[in-house]
């Protein structure tokens, strides 16, 4: 099988497995235990924290380990809801957020919070003029805006958006789950208050994430108990997975430095060029300039993703029509609708997403298979 669904999840890197193994076997002690074995496990948590912090330009004490990206998002949104209060406050998100931001903010709206959604241009980039108009200085509030979109890979103008929100004295959260490990995401350059990370999008296992909380930012924990993670997220730490997340962060830093991420972007471009040459009717969507190097979002006019996906699966290609969580829901993607796509175009689109494991041979084979299936 040729795996072109790396925005849904990624293969766990062998180096990550290797780093995790000792903590599933001999080094199973509780990191809060006072004896030497416990202290050694705690030190491993510290290493992982430093590795994740280094990837985004944070300090280690600004990193909280969580159970997944969804949890990181919910933790922030709940804490900020409490911080701004329900009366005469405001929350602004974009129309293209993941359900892990849309559903919690819908829940806020259901209990009386004012929640506004800001649109995007047809290239999938946030409409900053609309954002400026939505952020009201007279109200306490926060924005929750994704750094890169999961369906299109389009990179959002986070620096500008953060400046707009900060100028109004608002808090800023970014769901950077599809950006971290793919492009440079630095909290020492863009002054967001909170940033969500998910391990399985960059070769750590599913079920581990992190949350950056800028030093000095008020935070109300969602899970209380033994006071682990600086009291921000109680519960005995999932040591093997956290160690794996740290190792994956280190691998992604190396991949940025050794040209591996550039190689992925070259392969993505090769895939698009090949499909463009072989198919008469094909469209590539989203900003050309501002996108992560691993995603091609492609429409096949006259075809539907629903008919293409099983044929591609049978022919050896795993990819998707949008986010994995929306698969099978029979609705046009809210991201594509926000970009102004007709239902017909939205239903004819596929997301092909690569990773550092994708090879040139796989891309060349994928071009032939997709062209045969979509051109037939
Ligand atoms: N936010 C975005 C943009 C995502 O792509 C995903 C992944 O599906 C999530 C949140 C949820 O992350 P997790 O699967 O770790 O809960």
């Amino acid at each position: 099988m040729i795996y072109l669904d790396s925005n849904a999840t990624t293969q766990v890197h062998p180096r990550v497995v290797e780093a995790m193994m000792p903590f599933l076997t001999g080094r199973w002690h509780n990191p809060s235990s006072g004896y030497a074995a416990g202290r050694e496990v705690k030190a491993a948590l510290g290493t992982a924290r430093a590795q994740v912090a280094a990837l985004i330009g944070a300090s280690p004490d600004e990193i909280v380990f969580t159970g997944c990206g969804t949890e990181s998002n919910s933790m922030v949104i709940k804490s900020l809801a409490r911080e701004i209060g329900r009366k005469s406050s405001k929350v602004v998100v974009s129309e293209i957020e993941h359900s892990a931001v849309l559903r919690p903010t819908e829940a806020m709206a259901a209990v009386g919070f004012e929640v506004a959604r800001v649109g995007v241009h047809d290239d999938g980039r946030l409409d900053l003029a609309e954002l400026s108009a939505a952020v009201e200085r007279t109200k306490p509030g926060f924005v929750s805006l994704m750094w890169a979109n999961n369906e299109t890979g389009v990179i959002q103008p986070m620096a500008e958006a953060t400046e707009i929100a900060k100028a109004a004295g608002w808090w800023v959260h970014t769901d950077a789950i599809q950006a971290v490990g793919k492009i440079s995401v630095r909290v020492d350059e863009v002054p967001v208050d909170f940033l969500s990370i998910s391990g399985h999008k960059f070769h750590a296992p599913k079920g581990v994430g992190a949350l950056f909380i800028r030093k000095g930012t008020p935070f109300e924990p969602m899970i209380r108990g033994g006071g682990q993670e600086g009291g921000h997220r109680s519960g005995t730490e999932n040591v093997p997975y956290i160690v794996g997340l740290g190792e994956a962060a280190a691998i992604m830093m190396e991949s940025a430095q050794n040209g591996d991420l550039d190689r992925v972007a070259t392969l993505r471009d090769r895939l698009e060029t090949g499909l463009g040459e072989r198919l008469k009717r094909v469209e590539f969507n989203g900003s050309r300039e501002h996108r992560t190097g691993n995603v091609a979002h492609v429409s096949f006019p006259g075809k539907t993703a629903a008919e293409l996906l099983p044929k591609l699966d049978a022919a050896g290609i795993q990819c998707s029509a949008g986010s994995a969580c929306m698969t099978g829901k029979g609705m046009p993607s809210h991201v594509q609708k926000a970009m102004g796509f007709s239902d017909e175009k939205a239903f004819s689109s596929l997301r092909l997403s690569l990773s550092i494991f994708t090879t040139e041979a796989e891309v060349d084979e994928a071009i032939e298979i997709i062209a045969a299936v979509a051109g037939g």
Side-chain angles (χ1 to χ4, degrees):
M1 294 302 290
I2 298 172
Y3 186 66
L4 294 178
D5 204 15
S6 296
N7 272 21
T9 196
T10 55
Q11 176 187 335
V12 180
H13 198 290
R15 265 176 60 189
V16 169
V17 178
E18 201 183 315
M20 290 171 64
M21 280 313 281
F23 298 92
L24 289 163
T25 50
R27 302 178 70 187
W28 40 263
H29 301 85
N30 191 321
S32 297
S33 295
Y35 36 79
R39 289 200 304 274
E40 273 173 35
V41 172
K42 196 178 196 86
L45 288 181
T47 303
R49 208 179 301 283
Q51 287 167 316
V52 172
L55 183 62
I56 60 163
S59 4
D61 58 359
E62 294 175 313
I63 302 296
V64 174
F65 292 115
T66 67
C68 60
T70 301
E71 183 182 309
S72 300
N73 285 350
S74 263
M75 277 166 66
V76 175
I77 290 167
K78 291 210 164 153
S79 171
L80 284 173
R82 193 166 162 143
E83 183 64 30
I84 64 171
R86 194 179 323 207
K87 282 211 187 102
S88 45
S89 62
K90 190 168 179 184
V91 178
V92 173
V93 301
S94 83
E95 280 179 6
I96 59 162
E97 295 305 313
H98 189 271
S99 46
V101 164
L102 293 178
R103 297 295 93 81
T105 48
E106 275 167 11
M108 288 178 71
V111 296
F113 280 88
E114 182 183 356
V115 179
R117 286 191 188 169
V118 172
V120 295
H121 298 289
D122 57 10
D123 66 353
R125 297 252 295 168
L126 187 68
D127 185 331
L128 289 170
E130 232 187 90
L131 179 71
S132 287
V135 170
E136 294 179 51
R137 277 168 195 275
T138 51
K139 297 176 174 174
F142 73 85
V143 297
S144 178
L145 301 166
M146 60 184 5
W147 199 301
N149 183 262
N150 47 305
E151 292 188 30
T152 59
V154 172
I155 300 167
Q156 302 303 320
M158 265 323 290
E160 294 87 337
T162 300
E163 207 179 312
I164 290 167
K166 286 275 148 204
W170 281 28
W171 303 106
V172 178
H173 166 242
T174 181
D175 172 345
I177 287 166
Q178 292 289 355
V180 169
K182 293 174 181 147
I183 55 169
S184 170
V185 171
R186 308 242 3 146
V187 296
D188 49 356
E189 290 170 7
V190 181
V192 298
D193 301 298
F194 301 96
L195 181 147
S196 301
I197 295 175
S198 172
H200 74 106
K201 306 297 183 180
F202 58 96
H203 308 291
K206 286 159 271 299
V208 63
L211 176 63
F212 159 79
I213 306 177
R214 190 172 293 281
K215 215 171 284 172
T217 309
F219 183 78
E220 184 71 26
M222 188 163 83
I223 302 175
R224 294 175 183 280
Q228 291 89 345
E229 294 299 300
H232 294 324
R233 201 270 193 185
S234 286
T236 303
E237 297 88 342
N238 187 355
V239 177
Y241 279 58
I242 291 170
V243 167
L245 177 61
E247 184 65 18
I251 292 169
M252 296 327 291
M253 276 188 82
E254 286 169 32
S255 301
Q257 283 153 11
N258 68 16
D260 240 14
L261 295 185
D262 294 337
R263 187 188 60 81
V264 174
T266 307
L267 288 180
R268 187 272 316 275
D269 293 346
R270 185 182 179 95
L271 177 64
E272 287 187 341
T273 305
L275 291 176
E277 283 169 1
R278 277 166 189 72
L279 289 166
K280 275 198 220 74
R281 300 185 71 202
V282 63
E283 290 165 19
F284 302 103
N285 307 311
S287 167
R288 304 286 81 196
E289 194 189 338
H290 302 284
R291 56 181 181 152
T292 58
N294 75 314
V295 186
H297 194 271
V298 194
S299 301
F300 301 91
K303 303 282 173 190
T304 65
E307 65 175 299
L308 293 176
L309 286 171
K311 288 184 189 164
L312 289 171
D313 191 13
I317 294 199
Q318 294 162 328
C319 62
S320 64
S323 73
C325 1
M326 296 307 285
T327 300
K329 294 201 174 150
M331 302 261 286
S333 139
H334 68 286
V335 174
Q336 294 169 52
K337 291 304 285 178
M339 289 166 71
F341 289 16
S342 63
D343 282 1
E344 194 190 350
K345 177 162 171 148
F347 282 127
S348 78
S349 305
L350 295 183
R351 173 185 72 183
L352 308 170
S353 47
L354 290 62
S355 81
I356 53 170
F357 285 105
T358 311
T359 65
E360 189 173 295
E362 284 179 323
V363 166
D364 289 345
E365 202 182 332
I367 292 168
E368 300 309 328
I369 295 173
I370 297 169
V373 169

